[in-house]
Amino acid sequence: MGANQDESRMGASLEWALFRQCVTIPGRFLKTYAQLGLSDLEAMLIVHLFGIIQTEEKPSSVLEKLESYMACDKEAIQALIAGLIEKGMLAVTDTFDFEQGYTTEYNLDGLFMKLAQLEPGVKGQPGRSTADNEELKKLYSVFEQEFGRLLSPMETSQVLEWYYGNHYSPELILEALKRAVLRGVLNFRYIDSILRDWARQRIKSPRQVAACEKQGAPRSEKATQHPGAGVRSKAKKYEDVYLT
């Protein structure tokens, strides 16, 4: 009986030690950060910022703390922070105090504003019109149909990055997907490489892709093409989604 009581006390002590400094993270953030265009690494950095802000009265040496907490070097963390600032999720300000000197404050108000805009009853989403939402739904639907499964948060984030970050048209994104399907390479990295190659050639529409190929495609492009009627018939199913 005494042993059981000791184990119970030990368990209670361990639980107290583990949870005495709990950090509050909005559940909506964990469920929707991909919709906000955040990568898993950016989301993890924000989780650590929540912890630092909530558990330290006057956070200092934030970069060093993040470097010790995450599997990233200082340069990578600085790049992540710069990306969050650019996306309006994070604000970093330097303040001067005669006792402490210069200190850096990290403010997540921008993130909370964007999360509030995602709440039910609020029309639209950050930076998105109703038309944008419809276009994205079509893209997700076609990608999920071709992959035969739901997209992961990282894949959803990649589609958002193509649409908002790179400003690729939905028609061009689907054209790249079509090429990947026809070549049997269902891989987001491969689709991204196709889109980047077209961007380097300043190609912005499927019609420009076709025109470029008529003039003479690069050797690497020709090597991966599969001629035949089967290619044309399989490509036709995309015409119902976007006319090229």
Side-chain angles (χ1 to χ4, degrees):
M1 190 73 176
N4 290 337
Q5 288 180 344
D6 290 340
E7 289 178 2
S8 179
R9 288 171 185 167
M10 185 179 299
S13 299
L14 180 59
E15 184 178 357
W16 179 84
L18 289 173
F19 293 100
R20 64 178 176 174
Q21 282 193 324
C22 289
V23 175
T24 301
I25 301 169
R28 190 158 188 83
F29 167 72
L30 295 176
K31 293 177 181 178
T32 63
Y33 70 82
Q35 293 181 38
L36 294 174
L38 296 174
S39 68
D40 290 347
L41 266 180
E42 288 173 324
M44 196 68 242
L45 187 144
I46 288 175
V47 167
H48 283 301
L49 284 177
F50 276 129
I52 292 171
I53 292 170
Q54 292 177 34
T55 60
E56 296 188 27
E57 188 173 334
K58 292 184 179 179
S60 60
S61 305
V62 173
L63 281 176
E64 286 75 13
K65 290 180 184 296
L66 290 172
E67 187 179 4
S68 67
Y69 297 157
M70 300 179 67
C72 298
D73 57 29
K74 192 172 184 178
E75 289 73 22
I77 290 171
Q78 287 175 323
L80 289 170
I81 289 173
L84 291 172
I85 293 172
E86 185 178 350
K87 292 176 180 178
M89 308 284 181
L90 175 68
V92 180
T93 56
D94 292 323
T95 58
F96 179 79
D97 184 276
F98 284 103
E99 294 182 2
Q100 293 187 333
Y102 283 99
T103 58
T104 303
E105 295 183 359
Y106 293 76
N107 187 305
L108 292 167
D109 286 351
L111 171 65
F112 288 121
M113 289 294 293
K114 292 181 183 297
L115 286 173
Q117 288 179 297
L118 286 173
E119 288 292 341
V122 178
K123 295 182 179 180
Q125 294 185 358
R128 298 186 197 176
S129 64
T130 302
D132 286 334
N133 287 329
E134 290 302 316
E135 297 284 15
L136 286 167
K137 284 180 182 178
K138 290 179 182 178
L139 285 172
Y140 295 148
S141 176
V142 176
F143 268 84
E144 288 171 353
Q145 179 183 347
E146 293 299 342
F147 277 74
R149 58 173 173 78
L150 295 176
L151 298 182
S152 70
M154 182 66 76
E155 291 167 343
T156 302
S157 178
Q158 178 65 81
V159 175
L160 287 171
E161 180 64 23
W162 289 334
Y163 189 83
Y164 286 111
N166 302 114
H167 303 291
Y168 299 142
S169 69
E171 296 89 348
L172 195 66
I173 294 171
L174 283 180
E175 184 68 20
L177 172 62
K178 181 176 72 177
R179 301 303 175 93
V181 170
L182 295 177
R183 294 166 195 165
V185 188
L186 274 178
N187 182 293
F188 268 74
R189 186 174 297 178
Y190 181 66
I191 296 169
D192 186 59
S193 70
I194 295 174
L195 289 166
R196 289 181 182 276
D197 184 55
W198 288 342
R200 283 192 293 270
Q201 299 179 61
R202 298 184 179 180
I203 293 174
K204 297 182 178 181
S205 71
R207 289 183 180 179
Q208 289 180 327
V209 173
C212 182
E213 289 177 345
K214 285 182 180 179
Q215 293 174 0
R219 184 175 300 174
S220 59
E221 181 79 359
K222 289 180 179 178
T224 54
Q225 291 177 351
H226 299 280
V231 170
R232 290 191 296 272
S233 62
K234 192 168 186 180
K236 285 194 67 176
K237 67 179 177 179
Y238 291 88
E239 294 177 1
D240 293 334
V241 181
Y242 292 108
L243 295 176
T244 59

